[in-house]
Amino acid sequence: MRRIFASILSAFVILAVSANDGEKKTSPQMDKFISDLISKMTLEEKIGQLHLISGTDAVSGETVSNQSKVLQQIKAGKVGAFINAKGAAKVREIQRVAIEETRMKIPLLFGMDFAHGYETIFPISYGSAASWNMEAIKESAHIAAVEASADGLNWIYSPMVDITRDARWGRIAEGAGEDPYLGGQIAKALVKGYQGEPAYANNTNIMACVKHFGLYGASEAGRDYSVVDMSKVRMYNEYFEPYKAAVEAGVGSVMSSFNEVEGIPATANKWLLTDVLRNQWGFDGFVVTDYASIGDIIRFGVSDYYGASVMSLKAGTDLDMESYGFTNNLKNALEKGDITENEINIACRRILEAKYKLGLFSDPYKYCDPKRPEKDIKKKEHREAARKLAGESFVLLKNDKNILPLKKNGKIALIGPHGNNRPNMLGSWGWPSNLNMASTVMEGLKDAVGDKATVSYARGCQPYGNMEHEVWLSLTKDFEKDGRSNTELLAEALKLAKESDVIVATLGESSEMSGESSSRSDINIPAPQKELLKELVATGKPVVLVLFTGRPLTIKWESENVPAILNVWFPGSEGAYAIADALFGDVNPSGKLTSSWPQDIGQVPIYYNIKKVSKPMDKWFQKFRSGYLDISNEPLYPFGYGLSYTTFEYGDIILSDTIMNKGKSLTASVDITNTGKVAGSEIEQLYIQDMVSSITRPVKELKGFEKIYLKAGETKRVNFTINEDLLKFYNYNLDYVSEPGDFQIMVGRNSSDVKNLKFTLK
Ligand code: BGC
């Protein structure tokens, strides 16, 4: 197979040899290689490179392509990339068709959504973000890349970096939360983890795709695919930062979003995809649409199918995912003079460059080594890393009277639908893997206690009410069937509870309740589970709530009545063991929230970095101030919040100077002491407020953080460097500037609990 490929491309052999080296090759070589290639391609073949076709493995929703015609289209040179083919052998065979049965022998890109692990599943991205551990997040991306690349894939639709501030929106589970700075750091870590440093240096590095560009997380009313409309100042200062960070980290591709931006659908928005992305940020990879989104433009009512395809190409879209807009319309558009051949060539070049950078022209089977799956998938080290990151992602929301950690003795009642379930451990993008491979919480706890304690399980209730409703049926599909009524299940659970020393209540959302197209108007723990929890608390036995969720939930009652709450998100394939580690204190929880958790749904969108307003409410309630009659403005749990089994004391901020001259920097130092009895990690957070500025600015913005490990009694000094860059923002004219004047510096354990000090920028 290889031989045929090599002889046919003999004209390119010398150039192609060096195409294997990832970033090491020079661009003149790549440019010449691709120019030669393009000069030999027909118009149809060039348009073919701009088409991403879908298979059926690991598909979350509907597919457009007729599966019986997929290979036919590849053979006809009408496909440049493939989404959703799973398995090295399968990918190899499809690649073989592209290489041996097409005229130009151009390899395909193979992409998939495996956003938080491939077969070893890490916590959902929103959960991993709560670890604030950039090295561990980067490593999780590297491991996902190692496993997926062993299985034939060379491209991932991650990181998802949309800023999300509305807990109703289900896709909050896929991102890093509400903060631009933290989101940017995580974006960089993930891109580097997937692509490697230098990028694509070997066959364990794959191409990342940052999404969804742009502003998708600002979907109005928390509904998916809803209206997004905001000022440019807000885009540049808040929502753009993580996408830009991914570009700075060298991300190879960008996925446009389903929403509109200033009245123009993102997929067809030239300002967004060319002026901002390429001209202002210097992005040099390719842009892919989101699923069938060229076709969706018709429903926006701004164009027909033909026009949508033309607009999208002209805007800077290079690869059409499943709309068939480019393959169906571009030839005609060229004949009519609505586009130029050069515009097609530019998009085609970008796709070919990606393949070249990945080394696919040198070896189209670079990612199809049949020996690798066995060797590289679900390795022990991978599972250990997933367990560790899961442990770091958990957020201890409450721990009255140090009820946690539990002792490994006595009788433990494990109660709730999540306690004995596998698929729901994984989270919204878990389905590319084998959903039934995760251990259950029950197995995790039993493994941890051995014969020192007994762990008994009762389901307690059905996961949701109204089980006949179609929506609830789909949400519960991954819970094993149990025909008993809630009354029967409760009776069994209460009996077990009364016979036990402690209750571990495993409750919350199912993984299907967050992610794409999973918006909720009620973000409580589902009703039957909440009822169960009330009954368990009423027994008077100590209750620990192990909370599963892909979004902030409204848990005011729980926060007031349940003694201990450990939030575990959807913790991944090794989550059960990580939960046991945390519950028994083998791991001390250190995660901190990356979103503000509301007291009530009426407060959303809620986020800590709100801009200053003309009539702020200092304390509830003040008439003619910005607030609610019936609730304070405070979140239930603020951004950056999370407890530990130990306690940390923060010293005062020590500033190296109170004056900072432009171009210079200051150091803010704080001594942190572990004042408790066990070792633990603490995430110190640095916030800054620009006190007077030419446009309204946030009350505070995260500008740095550090996670340190302290033994009991130990003190460490944390130093934050404050340079002029940290003080810059986009002003009214969108110039990136710092403005002289006073700044408030804040350091603390979360966004609401900080010490502050002022300095002046001269
Ligand atoms: C989602 C993307 C995803 C794509 C391909 C879309 O529906 O919005 O996040 O990458 O499908 O699966």
Side-chain angles (χ1 to χ4, degrees):
M1 283 181 272
R2 280 263 189 80
R3 216 154 20 92
I4 301 168
F5 170 72
S7 65
I8 292 172
L9 278 186
S10 56
F12 309 131
V13 156
I14 295 171
L15 297 166
V17 167
S18 60
N20 210 9
D21 298 336
E23 280 193 337
K24 277 182 245 144
K25 70 211 169 303
T26 60
S27 352
Q29 278 178 308
M30 178 173 80
D31 289 349
K32 179 165 186 333
F33 177 82
I34 289 169
S35 297
D36 287 349
L37 192 54
I38 290 182
S39 71
K40 295 182 172 60
M41 291 167 77
T42 63
L43 178 65
E44 287 79 1
E45 283 163 344
K46 289 190 264 188
I47 295 173
Q49 286 302 305
L50 316 187
H51 179 51
L52 169 59
I53 202 164
S54 180
T56 51
D57 300 335
V59 175
S60 59
E62 322 153 324
T63 49
V64 172
S65 287
N66 176 340
Q67 293 305 305
S68 65
K69 298 205 174 126
V70 165
L71 283 185
Q72 227 173 296
Q73 291 190 55
I74 295 173
K75 286 181 197 168
K78 290 188 171 163
V79 177
F82 200 103
I83 168 175
N84 297 331
K86 191 164 160 68
K90 184 182 249 184
V91 171
R92 192 182 179 93
E93 174 52 19
I94 301 171
Q95 190 73 298
R96 187 200 62 75
V97 172
I99 297 304
E100 293 186 12
E101 300 188 32
T102 67
R103 197 182 73 90
M104 288 309 294
K105 326 289 171 202
I106 296 174
L108 297 168
L109 294 172
F110 287 91
M112 196 186 273
D113 296 277
F114 44 97
H116 48 104
Y118 183 69
E119 287 290 351
T120 304
I121 303 295
F122 287 82
I124 55 168
S125 309
Y126 186 45
S128 292
S131 74
W132 300 55
N133 183 336
M134 298 307 115
E135 271 314 305
I137 289 173
K138 183 168 150 195
E139 180 63 9
S140 73
H142 171 66
I143 289 172
V146 168
E147 294 195 349
S149 62
D151 226 15
L153 303 175
N154 48 41
W155 185 32
I156 178 169
Y157 308 125
S158 173
M160 186 286 212
V161 303
D162 305 318
I163 296 292
T164 53
R165 293 170 169 178
D166 191 327
R168 292 171 296 183
W169 195 53
R171 304 200 79 170
I172 200 165
E174 298 176 51
E178 73 192 30
D179 187 66
Y181 177 84
L182 179 62
Q185 300 299 310
I186 292 177
K188 284 186 185 168
L190 288 170
V191 169
K192 289 182 178 163
Y194 293 130
Q195 297 192 163
E197 295 174 281
Y200 325 124
N202 58 55
N203 68 355
T204 57
N205 306 136
I206 59 175
M207 187 168 279
C209 181
V210 66
K211 68 188 189 185
H212 308 82
F213 191 54
L215 323 175
Y216 184 35
S219 229
E220 257 181 28
R223 283 204 310 274
D224 215 350
Y225 324 123
S226 177
V227 176
V228 172
D229 204 350
M230 70 172 72
S231 71
K232 283 216 167 79
V233 160
R234 173 164 264 191
M235 291 181 205
Y236 276 83
N237 281 314
E238 300 170 37
Y239 281 74
F240 276 172
E241 186 167 334
Y243 308 110
K244 185 164 180 274
V247 170
E248 282 163 8
V251 71
S253 62
V254 171
M255 186 184 291
S256 56
S257 51
F258 285 132
N259 55 281
E260 58 167 317
V261 175
E262 296 194 308
I264 312 284
T267 313
N269 194 313
K270 184 161 185 299
W271 175 77
L272 188 74
L273 301 184
T274 299
D275 298 354
V276 174
L277 183 64
R278 294 190 185 277
N279 299 342
Q280 293 173 20
W281 298 351
F283 174 64
D284 66 355
F286 70 87
V287 173
V288 59
T289 71
D290 202 340
Y291 204 95
S293 65
I294 292 181
D296 285 350
I297 291 174
I298 303 163
R299 288 190 222 118
F300 273 116
V302 296
S303 188
D304 58 11
Y305 184 45
Y306 170 86
S309 310
V310 168
M311 279 171 76
S312 300
L313 181 79
K314 284 184 152 329
T317 292
D318 305 303
L319 188 61
D320 168 3
M321 189 194 301
E322 282 282 83
S323 286
Y324 287 77
F326 285 176
T327 45
N328 285 337
N329 296 307
L330 292 191
K331 190 166 178 222
N332 187 13
L334 183 62
E335 280 158 12
K336 284 166 76 174
D338 288 334
I339 58 167
T340 64
E341 184 149 7
N342 191 40
E343 285 167 331
I344 295 178
N345 287 351
I346 289 173
C348 178
R349 173 176 290 274
R350 290 183 187 140
I351 305 300
L352 297 174
E353 279 178 3
K355 295 176 179 182
Y356 184 97
K357 288 179 191 163
L358 280 165
L360 294 174
F361 283 109
S362 301
D363 180 3
Y365 306 106
K366 176 178 168 186
Y367 296 93
C368 304
D369 176 349
K371 294 196 210 86
R372 279 196 57 206
E374 165 95 34
K375 189 162 66 78
D376 282 344
I377 295 181
K378 278 205 116 182
K379 283 158 80 157
K380 190 164 164 278
E381 305 93 275
H382 295 180
R383 297 186 55 184
E384 282 166 2
R387 177 171 177 168
K388 189 157 179 295
L389 184 53
E392 281 199 61
S393 77
F394 298 162
V395 182
L396 184 63
L397 295 173
K398 185 176 177 193
N399 193 20
D400 267 6
K401 299 192 192 123
N402 292 330
I403 179 173
L404 284 174
L406 301 177
K407 303 214 169 32
K408 289 182 185 168
N409 59 35
K411 292 183 184 163
I412 301 169
L414 178 66
I415 299 176
H418 279 278
N420 197 21
N421 181 280
R422 294 180 203 287
N424 279 291
M425 300 298 284
L426 299 183
S428 62
W429 283 117
W431 43 259
S433 69
N434 168 5
L435 286 179
N436 279 312
M437 52 70 177
S439 300
T440 64
V441 179
M442 175 77 166
E443 288 162 349
L445 298 195
K446 284 198 160 167
D447 184 70
V449 300
D451 54 14
K452 293 193 215 124
T454 59
V455 183
S456 313
Y457 174 73
R459 182 174 169 119
C461 65
Q462 302 294 5
Y464 303 103
N466 195 4
M467 293 284 287
E468 304 313 313
H469 190 296
E470 196 193 330
V471 174
W472 299 121
L473 280 179
S474 83
L475 295 175
T476 50
K477 71 179 167 37
D478 291 328
F479 285 96
E480 56 294 338
K481 300 279 167 277
D482 188 323
R484 287 176 291 169
S485 67
N486 276 335
T487 315
E488 288 167 287
L489 292 168
L490 178 64
E492 180 192 55
L494 289 179
K495 181 169 181 296
L496 175 63
K498 284 173 191 154
E499 290 162 0
S500 304
D501 302 311
V502 62
I503 301 167
V504 174
T506 42
L507 307 174
E509 297 191 318
S510 67
S511 33
E512 292 279 323
M513 277 183 108
S514 55
E516 188 172 351
S517 186
S518 296
S519 298
R520 295 181 67 194
S521 68
D522 163 358
I523 53 170
N524 284 309
I525 293 177
Q529 299 189 50
K530 189 156 177 165
E531 287 312 309
L532 168 66
L533 185 60
K534 286 184 175 168
E535 295 280 355
L536 297 177
V537 170
T539 62
K541 296 277 179 178
V543 178
V544 175
L545 170 60
V546 174
L547 185 59
F548 289 76
T549 182
R551 55 158 58 79
L553 296 175
T554 38
I555 53 166
K556 195 144 194 277
W557 182 89
E558 293 79 350
S559 74
E560 287 163 0
N561 294 285
V562 183
I565 307 174
L566 181 72
N567 186 59
V568 298
W569 314 109
F570 294 104
S573 54
E574 315 309 310
Y577 302 103
I579 289 172
D581 292 339
L583 289 180
F584 295 113
D586 296 324
V587 167
N588 187 350
S590 61
K592 300 221 180 192
L593 300 176
T594 65
S595 298
S596 310
W597 282 39
Q599 302 179 59
D600 186 273
I601 187 81
Q603 293 178 305
V604 302
I606 182 170
Y607 48 97
Y608 82 92
N609 39 359
I610 185 171
K611 290 211 278 181
K612 292 173 214 162
V613 293
S614 60
K615 300 184 201 310
M617 187 184 280
D618 304 321
K619 71 181 212 330
W620 189 74
F621 172 79
Q622 295 161 305
K623 191 73 178 162
F624 305 116
R625 296 282 160 180
S626 174
Y628 304 99
L629 288 175
D630 48 0
I631 198 170
S632 75
N633 289 345
E634 306 314 314
L636 181 64
Y637 296 113
F639 172 85
Y641 175 88
L643 303 174
S644 161
Y645 294 153
T646 187
T647 44
F648 299 101
E649 201 174 284
Y650 280 63
D652 290 332
I653 305 173
I654 307 159
L655 261 184
S656 58
D657 205 334
T658 52
I659 305 288
M660 178 172 149
N661 292 311
K662 279 210 166 202
K664 300 281 186 237
S665 62
L666 296 178
T667 307
S669 311
V670 175
D671 289 336
I672 322 281
T673 306
N674 179 344
T675 47
K677 294 197 177 67
V678 290
S681 294
E682 169 69 341
I683 302 160
E684 302 79 36
Q685 301 154 41
L686 167 77
Y687 299 88
I688 298 181
Q689 185 200 127
D690 191 344
M691 296 178 75
V692 179
S693 39
S694 56
I695 58 168
T696 53
R697 305 272 297 122
V699 293
K700 58 176 76 118
E701 293 174 293
L702 184 76
K703 290 292 177 183
F705 58 87
E706 203 167 313
K707 186 166 187 173
I708 55 167
Y709 177 82
L710 290 169
K711 289 187 232 131
E714 193 182 4
T715 300
K716 275 187 190 160
R717 176 161 289 193
V718 175
N719 299 310
F720 292 107
T721 303
I722 299 165
N723 56 32
E724 198 191 328
D725 257 2
L726 291 189
L727 311 180
K728 286 187 174 166
F729 65 98
Y730 291 90
N731 66 13
Y732 191 75
N733 300 320
L734 302 179
D735 297 323
Y736 192 52
V737 296
S738 68
E739 293 177 345
D742 289 346
F743 290 81
Q744 192 78 249
I745 216 169
M746 292 159 260
V747 178
R749 61 185 92 240
N750 65 58
S751 60
S752 295
D753 185 356
V754 290
K755 298 203 169 183
N756 44 17
L757 207 60
K758 210 176 79 179
F759 75 91
T760 306
L761 175 71
K762 290 271 186 200

